[in-house]
Amino acid sequence: NPSKVRIHPDAPANASTHQPPDLIGLWQQGNYDASKLADEEAGFVYRYTYNGVGESAIWLSSKNYVVVDLSAGPSSYGPLVSQSGATTPQGLPSLKDTYEQLMKQLQDLPNQMTVREYGRNMAQAGAITLMTGRLAAVLAEGVKAAFIPDVASQHLEQAKTLLVPIVVLADHPISVEAQASQRQDDYWGINVTQIEAALAHLLGEGQEAVVITTQHELHRHKQLAAALHKATRCRCEAVVDVPQGWDYSGTDMGLHVNSHTFIDPEALLEEVEKSADFLTHGLVTVAHTMGKDEEHHIAQLRHEGTRVIPVFVLALQNHPDNVMLSNRELVAADHDAVVVLQLRQGIRWGAANEVFTGHVINGQRLSVDGARSTRHVIAGLAQALAGVVPPYQHFEPGLGRIENDWRWATGATPFGPYSNFSGVSEIMQNAARRNELVAHVSAAMRQLQHQLDAVDAFVAHHFSGPWEAAGIKDANRHWLDTVAG
């Protein structure tokens, strides 16, 4: 039903009893009037936001479902520079457009009843088929994005105890008063309680997580400071935009070149992991030994059933404005560590820490609070611990690279610029369980393949004569396949 009269916020009092006309019936009778459909639209356009972020017709629930509203929108959003995966009004089938296409088919047909009947049948079948096909494609892509996503890594390590040292590295002096004012629910912009709750959803039965925190001044760790400097890049991007503007109200709209500073996440993670033992040694030892004298490094703890995933939060106040990772994200993670950018440039001027994400949504630039890092920490831990990938990312085999589909970026997910959710949804929790199962099966298959290769090497060395006598010379076949054949 495309009628929006009853949900219009400025509708009259009697709108609640409004009964929309049978537009299909009128169309079949040849009495369709385009103004009736316009009246049902009521000049009202609505979109969905989740926790105050996003303007979309699709959103991910914190439960185990996804909402696709064919009457909402149109919506247009995506990255400003690269249009890969950008959402356009054509990215989702619309009931209004389908009704218009369906009903206007009769306008160009003659009045003969037989011709009108034929045209009506053809138009109805064509429009319904087109609508069904587009909707089926959207649903298939949504199922893949939400319920059967890719896995970030095939090597998912399982441990009884998980230690998460959160190390805040600030590029500015930290006063004694600032250190004393930190709380469990606001530790340098991080809600540790929410992170502990998220980990409880990601871990399996019998596993426990311990989150510990500390802060350091970045200049006291020269290796990391140098690594951050070496990983910082600058590039120029040509965009259709208003120069030096934050909206599209200017008159100089056109193709302009913008300079952008970013950080290479791979280079930064590599250097950070080299210093992980040094930065987290004291925290890990205290949390694990509970007063024992022996030392425990991260590699040693793995052999004792404890896994350590350090989270390094780079609190940047003296870096260029809007500096981000090269993929326009604020978090990067691999199997061994998580790095989060916390941008605090606004504090220097007594302003809000609004950071331009590089995305636009319905004609407006999208900014986020760079000083609030809870959801980014949760996103990084979900990727490092359980191999969870953002719902809008998938690997495209035909192209050989990762592609983005931003239609699935709004809602209950800690990933991406169109979300404001600091938790773990049931969809994300189910993905973590599935990834764990897939990782176990993959590990068993790799071990089996390794053993078969060893047997193949033995057979090739000691039994090559008998196989050749049998007329079998295919060196790529396993001995098991040979015997079975």
Side-chain angles (χ1 to χ4, degrees):
N1 186 354
S3 179
K4 299 178 183 178
V5 175
R6 284 177 288 186
I7 64 174
H8 198 295
D10 299 327
N14 60 352
S16 59
T17 60
H18 172 76
Q19 294 296 326
D22 184 3
L23 298 175
I24 295 294
L26 293 175
W27 179 81
Q28 291 176 340
Q29 297 170 13
N31 297 325
Y32 165 68
D33 185 359
S35 63
K36 288 184 170 55
L37 180 58
D39 292 340
E40 295 306 308
E41 282 290 310
F44 179 53
V45 174
Y46 69 93
R47 307 179 182 96
Y48 293 95
T49 65
Y50 201 97
N51 284 349
V53 177
E55 295 180 16
S56 175
I58 301 175
W59 54 278
L60 308 176
S61 168
S62 61
K63 302 299 182 181
N64 198 31
Y65 62 87
V66 179
V67 174
V68 179
D69 191 338
L70 302 183
S71 294
S75 294
S76 178
Y77 52 92
L80 179 62
V81 176
S82 172
Q83 296 305 311
S84 173
T87 298
T88 64
Q90 292 75 32
L92 184 68
S94 168
L95 278 181
K96 173 180 175 293
D97 295 341
T98 302
Y99 269 95
E100 287 182 346
Q101 181 182 7
L102 184 67
M103 296 178 180
K104 289 182 179 179
Q105 296 295 325
L106 290 178
Q107 294 181 354
D108 298 329
L109 293 176
N111 292 327
Q112 290 87 350
M113 182 58 66
T114 55
V115 177
R116 291 182 63 83
E117 288 179 351
Y118 176 78
R120 180 174 66 238
N121 294 336
M122 292 299 100
Q124 184 175 11
I128 291 177
T129 301
L130 181 61
M131 175 70 172
T132 303
R134 294 183 63 193
L135 181 59
V138 170
L139 294 179
E141 292 162 358
V143 168
K144 182 178 180 180
F147 303 112
I148 48 173
D150 295 342
V151 184
S153 173
Q154 63 178 342
H155 302 284
L156 297 183
E157 188 176 336
Q158 300 298 317
K160 182 178 180 181
T161 303
L162 173 68
L163 289 181
V164 181
I166 298 179
V167 183
V168 178
L169 298 165
D171 69 344
H172 53 278
I174 302 176
S175 64
V176 177
E177 293 78 7
Q179 296 182 24
S181 63
Q182 304 307 313
R183 308 188 308 271
Q184 177 82 358
D185 60 345
D186 189 8
Y187 185 83
W188 298 103
I190 303 170
N191 191 321
V192 180
T193 302
Q194 287 185 347
I195 293 174
E196 291 173 341
L199 288 174
H201 287 91
L202 291 172
L203 293 175
E205 185 177 356
Q207 294 179 297
E208 62 175 352
V210 179
V211 180
I212 44 184
T213 58
T214 186
Q215 74 276 335
H216 298 269
E217 293 180 354
L218 186 59
H219 71 273
R220 297 182 181 275
H221 302 278
K222 298 180 181 180
Q223 183 178 359
L224 280 179
L228 179 61
H229 178 73
K230 289 191 297 183
T232 302
R233 311 277 192 269
C234 184
R235 65 186 175 195
C236 294
E237 301 166 329
V239 298
V240 178
D241 197 6
V242 177
Q244 306 300 325
W246 288 89
D247 54 41
Y248 289 97
S249 60
T251 59
D252 192 20
M253 174 68 72
L255 186 64
H256 300 278
V257 177
N258 293 343
S259 177
H260 171 61
T261 302
F262 68 95
I263 298 173
D264 184 353
E266 295 182 0
L268 185 60
L269 276 170
E270 181 180 357
E271 294 296 334
V272 162
E273 288 172 6
K274 293 178 181 178
S275 304
D277 272 322
F278 174 74
L279 288 171
T280 63
H281 171 67
L283 292 174
V284 170
T285 300
V286 171
H288 183 74
T289 64
M290 299 300 291
K292 296 180 181 179
D293 295 332
E294 59 267 24
E295 297 182 353
H296 287 76
H297 297 286
I298 293 177
Q300 296 172 337
L301 290 174
R302 287 177 177 168
H303 297 289
E304 301 178 12
T306 299
R307 184 180 178 188
V308 181
I309 303 181
V311 178
F312 300 97
V313 180
L314 302 179
L316 306 180
Q317 183 174 314
N318 299 316
H319 273 63
D321 293 342
N322 299 322
V323 61
M324 303 187 81
L325 299 177
S326 57
N327 57 359
R328 289 287 188 178
E329 300 279 2
L330 292 175
V331 58
D334 62 10
H335 180 267
D336 298 313
V338 177
V339 173
V340 175
L341 297 187
Q342 186 180 97
L343 307 181
R344 293 174 164 266
Q345 290 93 339
I347 295 178
R348 292 179 295 176
W349 324 112
N353 295 294
E354 293 295 319
V355 179
F356 175 47
T357 62
H359 288 249
V360 291
I361 179 167
N362 295 318
Q364 300 293 326
R365 292 195 174 200
L366 180 62
S367 298
V368 297
D369 187 351
R372 314 308 300 180
S373 302
T374 302
R375 72 180 183 92
H376 303 299
V377 173
I378 293 175
L381 287 172
Q383 190 166 346
L385 175 64
V388 178
V389 300
Y392 50 83
Q393 282 188 356
H394 66 278
F395 181 78
E396 189 62 44
L399 300 175
R401 65 172 184 260
I402 295 176
E403 291 289 298
N404 295 321
D405 187 350
W406 297 104
R407 288 178 297 180
W408 315 104
T410 303
T413 174
F415 296 96
Y418 304 102
S419 169
N420 189 27
F421 180 75
S422 299
V424 176
S425 65
E426 289 186 11
I427 294 176
M428 192 170 168
Q429 186 175 2
N430 292 338
R433 297 290 180 271
R434 168 183 167 273
N435 292 351
E436 181 181 354
L437 177 60
V438 170
H440 282 309
V441 174
S442 177
M445 292 298 295
R446 289 196 305 273
Q447 183 65 22
L448 177 61
Q449 183 67 46
H450 177 72
Q451 298 300 329
L452 285 175
D453 291 342
V455 174
D456 282 343
F458 178 82
V459 170
H461 184 269
H462 296 283
F463 296 95
S464 58
W467 293 131
E468 291 179 359
I472 300 174
K473 299 181 180 180
D474 188 357
N476 295 324
R477 296 183 65 183
H478 283 296
W479 70 274
L480 193 60
D481 297 331
T482 304
V483 174

Short mmCIF file of all heavy atoms in Angstrom, two decimals, residues 35-78:
data_model
loop_
_atom_site.label_atom_id
_atom_site.label_comp_id
_atom_site.label_asym_id
_atom_site.label_seq_id
_atom_site.Cartn_x
_atom_site.Cartn_y
_atom_site.Cartn_z
N SER A 35 -3.52 11.80 -10.42
CA SER A 35 -3.61 12.66 -9.24
C SER A 35 -3.95 11.88 -7.99
O SER A 35 -3.59 12.27 -6.87
CB SER A 35 -4.64 13.76 -9.47
OG SER A 35 -5.93 13.19 -9.66
N LYS A 36 -4.64 10.74 -8.14
CA LYS A 36 -4.99 9.93 -6.96
C LYS A 36 -3.75 9.35 -6.30
O LYS A 36 -3.65 9.29 -5.06
CB LYS A 36 -5.98 8.83 -7.36
CG LYS A 36 -7.38 9.31 -7.67
CD LYS A 36 -8.30 8.15 -7.97
CE LYS A 36 -9.76 8.60 -8.05
NZ LYS A 36 -9.98 9.68 -9.02
N LEU A 37 -2.81 8.89 -7.11
CA LEU A 37 -1.57 8.37 -6.55
C LEU A 37 -0.78 9.48 -5.88
O LEU A 37 -0.19 9.30 -4.81
CB LEU A 37 -0.73 7.71 -7.64
CG LEU A 37 0.61 7.10 -7.20
CD1 LEU A 37 0.39 6.04 -6.13
CD2 LEU A 37 1.36 6.52 -8.39
N ALA A 38 -0.77 10.66 -6.49
CA ALA A 38 -0.08 11.80 -5.88
C ALA A 38 -0.73 12.19 -4.56
O ALA A 38 -0.04 12.57 -3.60
CB ALA A 38 -0.09 12.99 -6.84
N ASP A 39 -2.05 12.09 -4.48
CA ASP A 39 -2.74 12.39 -3.22
C ASP A 39 -2.34 11.40 -2.12
O ASP A 39 -2.20 11.79 -0.95
CB ASP A 39 -4.25 12.35 -3.42
CG ASP A 39 -4.76 13.48 -4.31
OD1 ASP A 39 -4.03 14.48 -4.44
OD2 ASP A 39 -5.86 13.35 -4.87
N GLU A 40 -2.16 10.14 -2.49
CA GLU A 40 -1.77 9.14 -1.50
C GLU A 40 -0.32 9.34 -1.05
O GLU A 40 0.03 9.00 0.08
CB GLU A 40 -1.95 7.73 -2.07
CG GLU A 40 -3.39 7.36 -2.37
CD GLU A 40 -4.29 7.56 -1.16
OE1 GLU A 40 -3.96 7.03 -0.08
OE2 GLU A 40 -5.30 8.27 -1.28
N GLU A 41 0.52 9.89 -1.91
CA GLU A 41 1.88 10.23 -1.51
C GLU A 41 1.88 11.37 -0.49
O GLU A 41 2.76 11.45 0.37
CB GLU A 41 2.71 10.62 -2.73
CG GLU A 41 3.20 9.44 -3.55
CD GLU A 41 4.26 8.64 -2.84
OE1 GLU A 41 5.24 9.23 -2.34
OE2 GLU A 41 4.11 7.41 -2.77
N ALA A 42 0.92 12.25 -0.58
CA ALA A 42 0.72 13.35 0.38
C ALA A 42 1.94 14.27 0.49
O ALA A 42 2.12 14.94 1.50
CB ALA A 42 0.36 12.78 1.77
N GLY A 43 2.79 14.27 -0.53
CA GLY A 43 3.97 15.12 -0.49
C GLY A 43 4.92 14.79 0.65
O GLY A 43 5.67 15.65 1.12
N PHE A 44 4.90 13.54 1.10
CA PHE A 44 5.65 13.15 2.30
C PHE A 44 6.72 12.12 1.94
O PHE A 44 6.43 11.11 1.29
CB PHE A 44 4.69 12.56 3.34
CG PHE A 44 5.35 12.11 4.61
CD1 PHE A 44 6.16 12.96 5.33
CD2 PHE A 44 5.15 10.82 5.08
CE1 PHE A 44 6.77 12.55 6.50
CE2 PHE A 44 5.75 10.40 6.26
CZ PHE A 44 6.56 11.27 6.96
N VAL A 45 7.95 12.40 2.32
CA VAL A 45 9.06 11.47 2.13
C VAL A 45 9.65 11.15 3.50
O VAL A 45 9.93 12.05 4.29
CB VAL A 45 10.16 12.08 1.23
CG1 VAL A 45 11.37 11.17 1.16
CG2 VAL A 45 9.62 12.34 -0.18
N TYR A 46 9.81 9.89 3.80
CA TYR A 46 10.38 9.50 5.09
C TYR A 46 11.52 8.51 4.89
O TYR A 46 11.55 7.77 3.91
CB TYR A 46 9.31 8.90 6.01
CG TYR A 46 8.78 7.55 5.58
CD1 TYR A 46 9.33 6.36 6.07
CD2 TYR A 46 7.71 7.45 4.69
CE1 TYR A 46 8.85 5.14 5.69
CE2 TYR A 46 7.21 6.22 4.30
CZ TYR A 46 7.78 5.07 4.80
OH TYR A 46 7.30 3.84 4.41
N ARG A 47 12.47 8.55 5.80
CA ARG A 47 13.60 7.64 5.81
C ARG A 47 13.87 7.21 7.25
O ARG A 47 13.38 7.84 8.19
CB ARG A 47 14.85 8.30 5.21
CG ARG A 47 14.64 8.92 3.83
CD ARG A 47 15.92 9.56 3.33
NE ARG A 47 15.75 10.21 2.03
CZ ARG A 47 15.51 11.50 1.86
NH1 ARG A 47 15.43 12.31 2.93
NH2 ARG A 47 15.37 12.01 0.67
N TYR A 48 14.69 6.19 7.42
CA TYR A 48 14.97 5.66 8.75
C TYR A 48 16.36 6.10 9.22
O TYR A 48 17.33 6.06 8.47
CB TYR A 48 14.93 4.12 8.73
CG TYR A 48 13.56 3.54 8.48
CD1 TYR A 48 13.17 3.19 7.19
CD2 TYR A 48 12.66 3.36 9.52
CE1 TYR A 48 11.91 2.64 6.95
CE2 TYR A 48 11.40 2.83 9.29
CZ TYR A 48 11.03 2.48 8.00
OH TYR A 48 9.79 1.95 7.77
N THR A 49 16.42 6.50 10.47
CA THR A 49 17.69 6.69 11.17
C THR A 49 17.77 5.69 12.32
O THR A 49 16.74 5.22 12.81
CB THR A 49 17.84 8.12 11.72
OG1 THR A 49 16.84 8.33 12.74
CG2 THR A 49 17.65 9.15 10.63
N TYR A 50 18.98 5.38 12.72
CA TYR A 50 19.18 4.44 13.83
C TYR A 50 20.12 5.09 14.82
O TYR A 50 21.26 5.39 14.49
CB TYR A 50 19.76 3.11 13.31
CG TYR A 50 19.54 1.94 14.24
CD1 TYR A 50 18.49 1.06 14.03
CD2 TYR A 50 20.36 1.73 15.34
CE1 TYR A 50 18.27 -0.02 14.87
CE2 TYR A 50 20.16 0.66 16.19
CZ TYR A 50 19.11 -0.21 15.96
OH TYR A 50 18.90 -1.27 16.80
N ASN A 51 19.62 5.33 16.02
CA ASN A 51 20.38 6.07 17.04
C ASN A 51 20.82 7.44 16.52
O ASN A 51 21.90 7.93 16.82
CB ASN A 51 21.60 5.28 17.50
CG ASN A 51 21.23 4.16 18.46
OD1 ASN A 51 20.10 4.09 18.93
ND2 ASN A 51 22.17 3.28 18.74
N GLY A 52 19.95 8.04 15.70
CA GLY A 52 20.20 9.39 15.22
C GLY A 52 21.14 9.49 14.04
O GLY A 52 21.49 10.61 13.63
N VAL A 53 21.54 8.36 13.44
CA VAL A 53 22.49 8.38 12.32
C VAL A 53 21.89 7.60 11.16
O VAL A 53 21.25 6.57 11.35
CB VAL A 53 23.85 7.76 12.73
CG1 VAL A 53 24.80 7.73 11.54
CG2 VAL A 53 24.47 8.55 13.87
N GLY A 54 22.14 8.10 9.96
CA GLY A 54 21.68 7.41 8.75
C GLY A 54 20.34 7.94 8.26
O GLY A 54 19.51 8.42 9.05
N GLU A 55 20.14 7.87 6.97
CA GLU A 55 18.86 8.20 6.35
C GLU A 55 18.66 7.21 5.22
O GLU A 55 19.09 7.42 4.10
CB GLU A 55 18.85 9.63 5.81
CG GLU A 55 18.97 10.70 6.88
CD GLU A 55 18.96 12.11 6.30
OE1 GLU A 55 18.56 12.24 5.12
OE2 GLU A 55 19.36 13.04 6.99
N SER A 56 17.99 6.11 5.52
CA SER A 56 17.94 5.00 4.58
C SER A 56 16.57 4.36 4.59
O SER A 56 15.76 4.57 5.50
CB SER A 56 19.02 3.98 4.94
OG SER A 56 18.92 2.83 4.12
N ALA A 57 16.31 3.55 3.57
CA ALA A 57 15.10 2.74 3.51
C ALA A 57 15.37 1.32 4.00
O ALA A 57 14.46 0.50 4.06
CB ALA A 57 14.55 2.70 2.09
N ILE A 58 16.63 1.03 4.35
CA ILE A 58 17.03 -0.30 4.84
C ILE A 58 17.80 -0.11 6.14
O ILE A 58 18.63 0.79 6.25
CB ILE A 58 17.92 -1.01 3.80
CG1 ILE A 58 17.20 -1.19 2.47
CG2 ILE A 58 18.38 -2.37 4.33
CD1 ILE A 58 18.07 -1.78 1.38
N TRP A 59 17.52 -0.96 7.12
CA TRP A 59 18.29 -0.90 8.36
C TRP A 59 18.39 -2.28 9.00
O TRP A 59 17.50 -3.11 8.86
CB TRP A 59 17.72 0.12 9.35
CG TRP A 59 16.27 -0.05 9.69
CD1 TRP A 59 15.21 0.39 8.96
CD2 TRP A 59 15.72 -0.70 10.84
NE1 TRP A 59 14.03 0.06 9.59
CE2 TRP A 59 14.31 -0.60 10.74
CE3 TRP A 59 16.27 -1.34 11.94
CZ2 TRP A 59 13.45 -1.13 11.70
CZ3 TRP A 59 15.42 -1.88 12.92
CH2 TRP A 59 14.04 -1.76 12.79
N LEU A 60 19.51 -2.49 9.67
CA LEU A 60 19.79 -3.75 10.35
C LEU A 60 19.29 -3.67 11.78
O LEU A 60 19.57 -2.71 12.49
CB LEU A 60 21.29 -4.04 10.36
CG LEU A 60 22.01 -3.99 8.99
CD1 LEU A 60 23.51 -4.20 9.19
CD2 LEU A 60 21.45 -5.05 8.07
N SER A 61 18.59 -4.68 12.21
CA SER A 61 18.04 -4.70 13.56
C SER A 61 19.06 -5.24 14.55
O SER A 61 20.00 -5.95 14.18
CB SER A 61 16.78 -5.57 13.60
OG SER A 61 16.37 -5.84 14.92
N SER A 62 18.86 -4.91 15.83
CA SER A 62 19.68 -5.50 16.88
C SER A 62 19.27 -6.95 17.14
O SER A 62 19.99 -7.68 17.82
CB SER A 62 19.57 -4.69 18.18
OG SER A 62 18.23 -4.68 18.63
N LYS A 63 18.12 -7.34 16.62
CA LYS A 63 17.68 -8.74 16.69
C LYS A 63 18.17 -9.47 15.45
O LYS A 63 19.17 -9.09 14.86
CB LYS A 63 16.16 -8.81 16.84
CG LYS A 63 15.63 -8.08 18.06
CD LYS A 63 16.18 -8.65 19.36
CE LYS A 63 15.60 -7.94 20.57
NZ LYS A 63 16.14 -8.49 21.84
N ASN A 64 17.42 -10.48 15.03
CA ASN A 64 17.88 -11.32 13.93
C ASN A 64 17.06 -11.07 12.67
O ASN A 64 16.55 -12.00 12.05
CB ASN A 64 17.82 -12.79 14.33
CG ASN A 64 18.68 -13.67 13.43
OD1 ASN A 64 19.70 -13.24 12.92
ND2 ASN A 64 18.25 -14.91 13.22
N TYR A 65 16.92 -9.81 12.27
CA TYR A 65 16.17 -9.50 11.05
C TYR A 65 16.66 -8.18 10.47
O TYR A 65 17.32 -7.38 11.14
CB TYR A 65 14.66 -9.45 11.31
CG TYR A 65 14.21 -8.39 12.28
CD1 TYR A 65 13.92 -7.09 11.85
CD2 TYR A 65 14.07 -8.68 13.63
CE1 TYR A 65 13.51 -6.12 12.74
CE2 TYR A 65 13.66 -7.71 14.53
CZ TYR A 65 13.37 -6.44 14.08
OH TYR A 65 12.97 -5.47 14.97
N VAL A 66 16.32 -7.97 9.21
CA VAL A 66 16.65 -6.76 8.47
C VAL A 66 15.35 -6.17 7.91
O VAL A 66 14.47 -6.92 7.47
CB VAL A 66 17.63 -7.04 7.32
CG1 VAL A 66 17.96 -5.77 6.54
CG2 VAL A 66 18.91 -7.67 7.85
N VAL A 67 15.21 -4.86 7.94
CA VAL A 67 14.01 -4.18 7.45
C VAL A 67 14.31 -3.54 6.10
O VAL A 67 15.29 -2.80 5.96
CB VAL A 67 13.52 -3.11 8.45
CG1 VAL A 67 12.36 -2.32 7.85
CG2 VAL A 67 13.09 -3.77 9.75
N VAL A 68 13.46 -3.84 5.10
CA VAL A 68 13.51 -3.22 3.78
C VAL A 68 12.15 -2.62 3.52
O VAL A 68 11.17 -3.34 3.38
CB VAL A 68 13.88 -4.24 2.69
CG1 VAL A 68 13.90 -3.56 1.32
CG2 VAL A 68 15.23 -4.89 2.97
N ASP A 69 12.04 -1.29 3.48
CA ASP A 69 10.77 -0.59 3.31
C ASP A 69 10.70 -0.06 1.88
O ASP A 69 11.45 0.85 1.50
CB ASP A 69 10.67 0.56 4.32
CG ASP A 69 9.26 1.16 4.36
OD1 ASP A 69 8.52 1.00 3.38
OD2 ASP A 69 8.92 1.79 5.38
N LEU A 70 9.79 -0.59 1.09
CA LEU A 70 9.66 -0.20 -0.31
C LEU A 70 8.93 1.11 -0.49
O LEU A 70 8.87 1.63 -1.61
CB LEU A 70 8.95 -1.31 -1.10
CG LEU A 70 9.61 -2.69 -1.07
CD1 LEU A 70 8.84 -3.66 -1.95
CD2 LEU A 70 11.06 -2.63 -1.49
N SER A 71 8.34 1.64 0.56
CA SER A 71 7.66 2.93 0.47
C SER A 71 8.54 4.07 0.96
O SER A 71 8.20 5.24 0.76
CB SER A 71 6.36 2.91 1.28
OG SER A 71 5.44 2.01 0.72
N ALA A 72 9.64 3.76 1.64
CA ALA A 72 10.52 4.80 2.17
C ALA A 72 11.44 5.33 1.08
O ALA A 72 11.58 4.74 0.01
CB ALA A 72 11.33 4.26 3.34
N GLY A 73 12.07 6.43 1.39
CA GLY A 73 13.02 7.02 0.46
C GLY A 73 12.36 7.98 -0.52
O GLY A 73 11.22 8.42 -0.29
N PRO A 74 13.07 8.35 -1.57
CA PRO A 74 14.36 7.81 -2.00
C PRO A 74 15.53 8.29 -1.15
O PRO A 74 15.46 9.34 -0.53
CB PRO A 74 14.48 8.32 -3.45
CG PRO A 74 13.71 9.60 -3.43
CD PRO A 74 12.57 9.38 -2.48
N SER A 75 16.61 7.50 -1.14
CA SER A 75 17.81 7.84 -0.38
C SER A 75 19.02 7.75 -1.30
O SER A 75 19.07 6.92 -2.21
CB SER A 75 18.00 6.87 0.79
OG SER A 75 16.97 7.02 1.74
N SER A 76 19.97 8.61 -1.04
CA SER A 76 21.21 8.64 -1.81
C SER A 76 22.36 8.92 -0.86
O SER A 76 22.38 9.97 -0.21
CB SER A 76 21.14 9.71 -2.91
OG SER A 76 22.35 9.76 -3.64
N TYR A 77 23.29 8.00 -0.76
CA TYR A 77 24.43 8.20 0.13
C TYR A 77 25.57 7.29 -0.30
O TYR A 77 25.39 6.28 -0.98
CB TYR A 77 24.06 7.94 1.59
CG TYR A 77 23.40 6.61 1.86
CD1 TYR A 77 24.14 5.50 2.22
CD2 TYR A 77 22.01 6.48 1.78
CE1 TYR A 77 23.54 4.28 2.48
CE2 TYR A 77 21.39 5.27 2.04
CZ TYR A 77 22.16 4.17 2.39
OH TYR A 77 21.56 2.97 2.64
N GLY A 78 26.77 7.68 0.10
CA GLY A 78 27.97 6.93 -0.25
C GLY A 78 29.20 7.80 -0.13
O GLY A 78 29.13 8.96 0.27
#
